[in-house]
Amino acid sequence: MECVERGLIDVPWLRFGSGEALLRALDEIGSGEGIGPLLRLGSRGMAEEVGHGSIAFAAQVKGLELPGYEPRTLQSMALGLAVNARGADHNRSGAYEADFSTRVDRLAGDGRSVAAAIETEDNAALIDSMILCKFLRGVFADSRAEWAELLSAVTGFDYTAAELGSIAAEIVDEKKRYNVEQGWTPESDTLPERFLNEPLETGGGSAATLPRERLQEMVARYYRLRGWDEDGLPGPDLHDPAAQP
């Protein structure tokens, strides 16, 4: 719709605020008629096809569209979306939990935001691995200790909270290694230009900003705390026989 407003594509009926336009677009995606083949490409693919700098306002990370969280006002989540292996996935990074709490300043991402992004990303990896519903996150008083107790009861092995933490970190490492094999570069761990260049008015004459330098600092700190090198590359997989010395 923004591409239409900017005159980048000629689809006059596809306008913001029109429910009829939305339904027609969905029909054409399904039928493959009209604008459908272009919309089927997704935000990144469509931006690459349209060109004219449209990738700057395509709301996606690594080809996955952003969920309903505004990165400029939730800056722990901004980092979580930028570095996530799958892209802008709120089910792989729950850092908005910290932003909605008093643990961090959600409008000024810093080291606390980085720690929160790592903790919630690791917890999401554990929840997915244990096949638990993510809506159970707030049920446990001491999540990892209780998850270890659950897993021990089911498997007969004695797991500890610390062991689960190590397993979670290795899961994240392994996903990054896979991305590297598929062509990931450090430039992939970022957000669309719009969020880094345009202030977001929040009312009363105030605006939320997420300068590129701030996001880059958080990404670099995230790499360090993960134990990755400065380019965001994890060390060798110690469980892979090929990586053994």
Side-chain angles (χ1 to χ4, degrees):
M1 293 177 177
E2 186 166 351
C3 286
V4 172
E5 289 187 347
R6 289 171 177 252
L8 302 182
I9 57 176
D10 184 20
V11 190
W13 56 266
L14 190 60
R15 294 283 180 175
F16 285 111
S18 171
E20 292 181 359
L22 177 61
L23 293 176
R24 178 174 173 179
L26 291 173
D27 284 341
E28 293 193 1
I29 290 172
S31 67
E33 300 174 352
I35 190 68
L38 186 60
L39 295 178
R40 282 179 175 182
L41 298 175
S43 297
R44 183 173 67 180
M46 184 176 175
E48 292 171 348
E49 184 74 17
V50 171
H52 299 286
S54 55
I55 192 65
F57 57 85
Q60 57 78 39
V61 177
K62 302 181 180 78
L64 183 64
E65 284 73 18
L66 268 70
Y69 301 95
E70 169 53 65
R72 288 166 289 192
T73 61
L74 300 170
Q75 297 194 7
S76 302
M77 190 61 183
L79 174 64
L81 297 176
V83 299
N84 195 277
R86 189 165 183 257
D89 186 351
H90 67 293
N91 281 318
R92 299 295 194 277
S93 175
Y96 56 82
E97 296 176 13
D99 288 319
F100 292 146
S101 73
T102 58
R103 296 166 53 193
V104 303
D105 181 349
R106 65 184 180 89
L107 298 177
D110 56 20
R112 294 171 298 172
S113 300
V114 177
I118 290 175
E119 178 186 6
T120 56
E121 187 177 30
D122 284 356
N123 284 346
L126 289 173
I127 290 172
D128 286 339
S129 298
M130 295 181 66
I131 320 179
L132 296 174
C133 174
K134 286 199 169 70
F135 285 115
L136 293 176
R137 283 172 296 186
V139 171
F140 301 95
D142 187 349
S143 298
R144 293 188 186 177
E146 293 179 61
W147 295 341
E149 185 177 352
L150 286 173
L151 190 59
S152 298
V154 171
T155 63
F157 297 102
D158 292 326
Y159 287 96
T160 66
E163 286 175 320
L164 290 194
S166 296
I167 291 169
E170 182 56 32
I171 290 171
V172 175
D173 286 358
E174 192 58 34
K175 288 192 288 187
K176 173 52 76 71
R177 293 187 189 102
Y178 177 81
N179 274 13
V180 171
E181 292 176 358
Q182 300 305 311
W184 172 93
T185 68
E187 290 71 31
S188 304
D189 286 347
T190 190
L191 294 172
E193 291 291 327
R194 161 160 290 165
F195 298 111
L196 305 178
N197 293 334
E198 298 180 18
L200 177 70
E201 294 189 13
T202 55
S206 299
T209 61
L210 177 57
R212 177 185 304 281
E213 295 76 15
R214 183 185 302 161
L215 180 61
Q216 289 175 332
E217 288 173 5
M218 288 196 291
V219 170
R221 186 179 182 91
Y222 172 91
Y223 289 167
R224 290 195 299 271
L225 292 180
R226 282 274 180 221
W228 299 351
D229 70 17
E230 62 183 12
D231 290 323
L233 301 176
D237 179 1
L238 299 181
H239 301 289
D240 182 355
Q244 300 300 319

